PDB file of all heavy atoms in Angstrom:
ATOM      1  N   GLU C  22     -14.780  60.538 -46.507  1.00  0.00           N
ATOM      2  CA  GLU C  22     -14.795  61.167 -47.801  1.00  0.00           C
ATOM      3  C   GLU C  22     -15.009  62.667 -47.681  1.00  0.00           C
ATOM      4  O   GLU C  22     -14.260  63.427 -48.345  1.00  0.00           O
ATOM      5  CB  GLU C  22     -15.908  60.622 -48.702  1.00  0.00           C
ATOM      6  CG  GLU C  22     -15.909  61.106 -50.094  1.00  0.00           C
ATOM      7  CD  GLU C  22     -16.982  60.358 -50.928  1.00  0.00           C
ATOM      8  OE1 GLU C  22     -17.029  59.162 -50.974  1.00  0.00           O
ATOM      9  OE2 GLU C  22     -17.775  61.118 -51.566  1.00  0.00           O
ATOM     10  N   TYR C  23     -15.852  63.126 -46.870  1.00  0.00           N
ATOM     11  CA  TYR C  23     -16.044  64.589 -46.671  1.00  0.00           C
ATOM     12  C   TYR C  23     -14.783  65.191 -46.038  1.00  0.00           C
ATOM     13  O   TYR C  23     -14.281  66.222 -46.527  1.00  0.00           O
ATOM     14  CB  TYR C  23     -17.243  64.803 -45.754  1.00  0.00           C
ATOM     15  CG  TYR C  23     -17.456  66.332 -45.613  1.00  0.00           C
ATOM     16  CD1 TYR C  23     -18.246  66.990 -46.578  1.00  0.00           C
ATOM     17  CD2 TYR C  23     -16.891  67.064 -44.613  1.00  0.00           C
ATOM     18  CE1 TYR C  23     -18.470  68.289 -46.438  1.00  0.00           C
ATOM     19  CE2 TYR C  23     -17.065  68.420 -44.557  1.00  0.00           C
ATOM     20  CZ  TYR C  23     -17.902  69.024 -45.462  1.00  0.00           C
ATOM     21  OH  TYR C  23     -18.058  70.416 -45.355  1.00  0.00           O
ATOM     22  N   ILE C  24     -14.201  64.554 -45.023  1.00  0.00           N
ATOM     23  CA  ILE C  24     -12.949  65.057 -44.470  1.00  0.00           C
ATOM     24  C   ILE C  24     -11.828  65.137 -45.480  1.00  0.00           C
ATOM     25  O   ILE C  24     -11.157  66.162 -45.538  1.00  0.00           O
ATOM     26  CB  ILE C  24     -12.506  64.137 -43.282  1.00  0.00           C
ATOM     27  CG1 ILE C  24     -13.492  64.360 -42.098  1.00  0.00           C
ATOM     28  CG2 ILE C  24     -11.099  64.494 -42.766  1.00  0.00           C
ATOM     29  CD1 ILE C  24     -13.301  63.364 -40.954  1.00  0.00           C
ATOM     30  N   ASP C  25     -11.697  64.119 -46.336  1.00  0.00           N
ATOM     31  CA  ASP C  25     -10.640  64.136 -47.303  1.00  0.00           C
ATOM     32  C   ASP C  25     -10.764  65.198 -48.329  1.00  0.00           C
ATOM     33  O   ASP C  25      -9.853  65.789 -48.836  1.00  0.00           O
ATOM     34  CB  ASP C  25     -10.546  62.777 -48.009  1.00  0.00           C
ATOM     35  CG  ASP C  25      -9.977  61.699 -47.203  1.00  0.00           C
ATOM     36  OD1 ASP C  25      -9.354  61.988 -46.117  1.00  0.00           O
ATOM     37  OD2 ASP C  25     -10.140  60.484 -47.471  1.00  0.00           O
ATOM     38  N   ASN C  26     -12.022  65.531 -48.735  1.00  0.00           N
ATOM     39  CA  ASN C  26     -12.313  66.468 -49.773  1.00  0.00           C
ATOM     40  C   ASN C  26     -12.600  67.933 -49.330  1.00  0.00           C
ATOM     41  O   ASN C  26     -12.446  68.831 -50.150  1.00  0.00           O
ATOM     42  CB  ASN C  26     -13.520  65.971 -50.601  1.00  0.00           C
ATOM     43  CG  ASN C  26     -13.281  64.694 -51.342  1.00  0.00           C
ATOM     44  OD1 ASN C  26     -12.127  64.440 -51.691  1.00  0.00           O
ATOM     45  ND2 ASN C  26     -14.293  63.912 -51.482  1.00  0.00           N
ATOM     46  N   ASN C  27     -12.974  68.116 -48.132  1.00  0.00           N
ATOM     47  CA  ASN C  27     -13.430  69.473 -47.720  1.00  0.00           C
ATOM     48  C   ASN C  27     -12.789  70.191 -46.536  1.00  0.00           C
ATOM     49  O   ASN C  27     -13.048  71.293 -46.359  1.00  0.00           O
ATOM     50  CB  ASN C  27     -14.993  69.410 -47.454  1.00  0.00           C
ATOM     51  CG  ASN C  27     -15.706  69.005 -48.688  1.00  0.00           C
ATOM     52  OD1 ASN C  27     -15.636  69.657 -49.698  1.00  0.00           O
ATOM     53  ND2 ASN C  27     -16.339  67.795 -48.621  1.00  0.00           N
ATOM     54  N   CYS C  28     -12.111  69.410 -45.776  1.00  0.00           N
ATOM     55  CA  CYS C  28     -11.556  70.133 -44.554  1.00  0.00           C
ATOM     56  C   CYS C  28     -10.236  69.526 -44.103  1.00  0.00           C
ATOM     57  O   CYS C  28      -9.870  68.420 -44.482  1.00  0.00           O
ATOM     58  CB  CYS C  28     -12.623  70.131 -43.422  1.00  0.00           C
ATOM     59  SG  CYS C  28     -13.192  68.479 -42.966  1.00  0.00           S
ATOM     60  N   ASN C  29      -9.560  70.288 -43.236  1.00  0.00           N
ATOM     61  CA  ASN C  29      -8.322  69.917 -42.762  1.00  0.00           C
ATOM     62  C   ASN C  29      -8.540  69.390 -41.306  1.00  0.00           C
ATOM     63  O   ASN C  29      -8.019  69.968 -40.359  1.00  0.00           O
ATOM     64  CB  ASN C  29      -7.295  71.012 -42.791  1.00  0.00           C
ATOM     65  CG  ASN C  29      -5.970  70.627 -42.359  1.00  0.00           C
ATOM     66  OD1 ASN C  29      -5.561  69.452 -42.460  1.00  0.00           O
ATOM     67  ND2 ASN C  29      -5.134  71.580 -41.944  1.00  0.00           N
ATOM     68  N   MET C  30      -9.317  68.420 -41.159  1.00  0.00           N
ATOM     69  CA  MET C  30      -9.672  67.905 -39.853  1.00  0.00           C
ATOM     70  C   MET C  30      -9.201  66.457 -39.667  1.00  0.00           C
ATOM     71  O   MET C  30      -8.960  65.724 -40.623  1.00  0.00           O
ATOM     72  CB  MET C  30     -11.210  67.920 -39.601  1.00  0.00           C
ATOM     73  CG  MET C  30     -11.843  69.276 -39.757  1.00  0.00           C
ATOM     74  SD  MET C  30     -11.257  70.346 -38.406  1.00  0.00           S
ATOM     75  CE  MET C  30     -11.658  71.995 -39.050  1.00  0.00           C
ATOM     76  N   GLN C  31      -9.059  66.062 -38.399  1.00  0.00           N
ATOM     77  CA  GLN C  31      -8.633  64.730 -38.017  1.00  0.00           C
ATOM     78  C   GLN C  31      -9.784  63.710 -37.980  1.00  0.00           C
ATOM     79  O   GLN C  31      -9.623  62.529 -38.203  1.00  0.00           O
ATOM     80  CB  GLN C  31      -7.899  64.685 -36.706  1.00  0.00           C
ATOM     81  CG  GLN C  31      -6.543  65.241 -36.727  1.00  0.00           C
ATOM     82  CD  GLN C  31      -5.781  64.982 -35.420  1.00  0.00           C
ATOM     83  OE1 GLN C  31      -6.037  63.978 -34.759  1.00  0.00           O
ATOM     84  NE2 GLN C  31      -4.933  65.864 -35.039  1.00  0.00           N
ATOM     85  N   GLY C  32     -11.012  64.222 -37.604  1.00  0.00           N
ATOM     86  CA  GLY C  32     -12.110  63.331 -37.386  1.00  0.00           C
ATOM     87  C   GLY C  32     -13.300  64.092 -36.916  1.00  0.00           C
ATOM     88  O   GLY C  32     -13.471  65.307 -37.298  1.00  0.00           O
ATOM     89  N   ILE C  33     -14.169  63.434 -36.115  1.00  0.00           N
ATOM     90  CA  ILE C  33     -15.366  64.138 -35.598  1.00  0.00           C
ATOM     91  C   ILE C  33     -15.417  64.015 -34.138  1.00  0.00           C
ATOM     92  O   ILE C  33     -14.788  63.191 -33.515  1.00  0.00           O
ATOM     93  CB  ILE C  33     -16.672  63.549 -36.186  1.00  0.00           C
ATOM     94  CG1 ILE C  33     -16.816  62.132 -35.750  1.00  0.00           C
ATOM     95  CG2 ILE C  33     -16.717  63.714 -37.707  1.00  0.00           C
ATOM     96  CD1 ILE C  33     -18.207  61.506 -36.050  1.00  0.00           C
ATOM     97  N   ARG C  34     -16.072  65.010 -33.491  1.00  0.00           N
ATOM     98  CA  ARG C  34     -16.317  65.010 -32.050  1.00  0.00           C
ATOM     99  C   ARG C  34     -17.859  64.845 -31.837  1.00  0.00           C
ATOM    100  O   ARG C  34     -18.652  65.514 -32.594  1.00  0.00           O
ATOM    101  CB  ARG C  34     -15.884  66.306 -31.404  1.00  0.00           C
ATOM    102  CG  ARG C  34     -16.201  66.453 -29.946  1.00  0.00           C
ATOM    103  CD  ARG C  34     -15.601  67.667 -29.291  1.00  0.00           C
ATOM    104  NE  ARG C  34     -14.079  67.610 -29.411  1.00  0.00           N
ATOM    105  CZ  ARG C  34     -13.256  66.868 -28.671  1.00  0.00           C
ATOM    106  NH1 ARG C  34     -13.759  66.151 -27.685  1.00  0.00           N
ATOM    107  NH2 ARG C  34     -11.986  66.912 -28.874  1.00  0.00           N
TER     108      ARG C  34
END
Side-chain angles (χ1 to χ4, degrees):
E22 185 176 306
Y23 185 87
I24 289 169
D25 288 345
N26 294 329
N27 297 297
C28 57
N29 187 22
M30 300 293 164
Q31 286 190 30
I33 63 168
R34 176 173 300 281

